[in-house]
């Protein structure tokens, strides 16, 4: 019987999935440090230094770097190693243009497919986002902002589109944090999100164009904030 129990346990172990691998944990930690601004645009990331900091070998660091590069947060340069990526202003706005195009499409597809329960879930996420706004919890704001938007699009069942949008949101998360840090963008974002949710509950088709304006205004406000910030830094 004991032998059978051991064999059964071993069989189950073959299909047991790891909760979070070391490279994934490293990538998540480094991602947050990049998004928070601890690692600035253009800053080098040296494998040996990162491995020493996390007390691990260079192998998981290399894998973490590959994940970060796939997410567009770092780039590898010949003879220079890995550096934190920097996007020109026109490329940042391009990402917001893509967001507007794709998010409005999936929102239009989702509007009549929402249930009261799915919209109640969106409201719960929005309440958490508003709490993060009020506490100026920038790390939570980025994740919850995407979760709120995503919750409005899930009924569309456009899996690939949502995956692309998630990647775009990862790239712009750090810039949105900068915007919220140097502007009073919290109040405007909170009001517009409430309006989007209210229109969605009423199945108002005008919410699609309102969403487009919401996204594009955020992009233009961000570029203005980044421009003013760079001018301020260059004059000091």
């Amino acid at each position: 019987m004991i032998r059978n129990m051991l064999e059964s346990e071993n069989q189950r172990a073959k299909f047991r999935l790891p909760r979070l691998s070391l490279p994934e944990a490293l990538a998540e930690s480094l991602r947050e440090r990049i998004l928070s601004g601890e690692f600035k645009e253009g800053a080098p990331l040296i494998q040996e230094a990162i491995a020493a900091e996390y007390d691990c070998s260079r192998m998981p660091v290399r894998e973490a770097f590959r994940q970060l590069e796939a997410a567009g947060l770092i780039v590898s340069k010949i003879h220079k190693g890995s550096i934190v990526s920097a996007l020109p202003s026109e490329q940042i706005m391009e990402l917001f243009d893509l967001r507007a195009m794709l998010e409005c499409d999936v929102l239009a597809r989702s509007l009549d497919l929402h249930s009261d329960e799915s919209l109640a879930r969106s409201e719960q996420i929005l309440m958490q986002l508003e709490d993060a706004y009020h506490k100026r919890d920038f790390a939570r704001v980025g994740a919850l902002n995407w979760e709120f938007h995503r919750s409005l699009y899930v009924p569309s069942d456009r899996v690939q589109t949502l995956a692309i949008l998630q990647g775009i949101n990862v790239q712009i998360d750090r810039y949105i944090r900068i915007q919220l840090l140097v502007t009073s963008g919290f109040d405007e974002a909170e009001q517009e999100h409430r309006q989007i949710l209210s229109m969605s509950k009423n199945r108002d088709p005008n919410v699609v164009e309102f969403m487009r304006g919401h996204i594009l205004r955020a992009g233009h406000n961000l570029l203005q904030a980044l421009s003013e910030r760079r001018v301020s830094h260059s004059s000091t």
Side-chain angles (χ1 to χ4, degrees), residues 89-104:
S89 296
E90 59 270 17
Q91 290 187 25
I92 294 174
M93 197 61 220
E94 181 184 355
L95 291 175
F96 278 89
D97 288 340
L98 283 169
R99 275 192 63 198
M101 179 176 63
L102 295 175
E103 291 193 33
C104 287

Side-chain angles (χ1 to χ4, degrees), residues 131-218:
D131 179 67
Y133 281 151
H134 300 158
K135 293 178 179 177
R136 299 302 190 258
D137 188 341
F138 297 105
R140 290 178 63 226
V141 163
L144 288 170
N145 182 73
W146 164 238
E147 280 304 308
F148 171 67
H149 278 254
R150 181 181 179 278
S151 71
L152 297 173
Y153 312 144
V154 167
S156 70
D157 200 28
R158 304 290 280 188
V159 176
Q160 296 300 325
T161 304
L162 290 181
I164 292 169
L165 282 169
Q166 183 170 5
I168 292 173
N169 275 272
V170 167
Q171 291 194 61
I172 64 175
D173 189 356
R174 55 181 154 160
Y175 299 108
I176 290 177
R177 294 189 196 197
I178 292 172
Q179 176 195 357
L180 294 175
L181 183 64
V182 300
T183 70
S184 56
F186 287 100
D187 292 340
E188 182 179 2
E190 186 172 348
Q191 292 170 8
E192 292 189 358
H193 282 150
R194 276 286 159 188
Q195 182 66 22
I196 289 167
L197 180 61
S198 176
M199 295 174 78
S200 296
K201 285 182 175 180
N202 292 326
R203 309 310 196 268
D204 184 347
N206 293 316
V207 70
V208 175
E209 286 307 309
F210 189 87
M211 177 69 82
R212 192 185 312 278
H214 168 71
I215 293 170
L216 295 179
R217 274 192 301 276

Side-chain angles (χ1 to χ4, degrees), residues 2-209:
I2 294 177
R3 181 180 177 182
N4 290 338
M5 291 174 61
L6 289 173
E7 287 178 350
S8 177
E9 178 64 25
N10 290 337
Q11 183 66 24
R12 286 198 299 271
K14 290 180 182 179
F15 302 103
R16 194 171 294 145
L17 297 173
R19 294 188 177 182
L20 190 66
S21 70
L22 180 55
E24 289 172 333
L26 277 169
E28 181 60 28
S29 177
L30 292 170
R31 173 183 178 274
E32 179 55 34
R33 295 173 71 181
I34 291 170
L35 295 181
S36 70
E38 180 182 344
F39 293 132
K40 309 293 184 186
E41 292 182 353
L45 293 179
I46 303 170
Q47 288 187 17
E48 293 83 354
I50 297 294
E53 190 174 9
Y54 286 92
D55 192 24
C56 65
S57 69
R58 283 189 293 172
M59 186 176 297
V61 175
R62 282 196 296 271
E63 176 55 34
F65 278 15
R66 280 194 284 270
Q67 294 181 32
L68 294 171
E69 186 166 14
L73 294 177
I74 68 174
V75 292
S76 296
K77 301 265 187 188
I78 298 175
H79 306 309
K80 291 186 178 180
S82 298
I83 63 172
V84 178
S85 63
L87 291 177
S89 296
E90 59 270 17
Q91 290 187 25
I92 294 174
M93 197 61 220
E94 181 184 355
L95 291 175
F96 278 89
D97 288 340
L98 283 169
R99 275 192 63 198
M101 179 176 63
L102 295 175
E103 291 193 33
C104 287
D105 177 71
V106 287
L107 178 60
R109 294 173 183 272
S110 298
L111 194 57
D112 292 331
L113 300 176
H114 269 292
S115 64
D116 291 341
E117 291 76 15
S118 64
L119 289 170
R121 172 61 180 158
S122 296
E123 186 162 23
Q124 289 176 352
I125 298 170
L126 182 55
M127 291 172 64
Q128 296 175 43
L129 175 57
E130 290 171 345
D131 179 67
Y133 281 151
H134 300 158
K135 293 178 179 177
R136 299 302 190 258
D137 188 341
F138 297 105
R140 290 178 63 226
V141 163
L144 288 170
N145 182 73
W146 164 238
E147 280 304 308
F148 171 67
H149 278 254
R150 181 181 179 278
S151 71
L152 297 173
Y153 312 144
V154 167
S156 70
D157 200 28
R158 304 290 280 188
V159 176
Q160 296 300 325
T161 304
L162 290 181
I164 292 169
L165 282 169
Q166 183 170 5
I168 292 173
N169 275 272
V170 167
Q171 291 194 61
I172 64 175
D173 189 356
R174 55 181 154 160
Y175 299 108
I176 290 177
R177 294 189 196 197
I178 292 172
Q179 176 195 357
L180 294 175
L181 183 64
V182 300
T183 70
S184 56
F186 287 100
D187 292 340
E188 182 179 2
E190 186 172 348
Q191 292 170 8
E192 292 189 358
H193 282 150
R194 276 286 159 188
Q195 182 66 22
I196 289 167
L197 180 61
S198 176
M199 295 174 78
S200 296
K201 285 182 175 180
N202 292 326
R203 309 310 196 268
D204 184 347
N206 293 316
V207 70
V208 175
E209 286 307 309

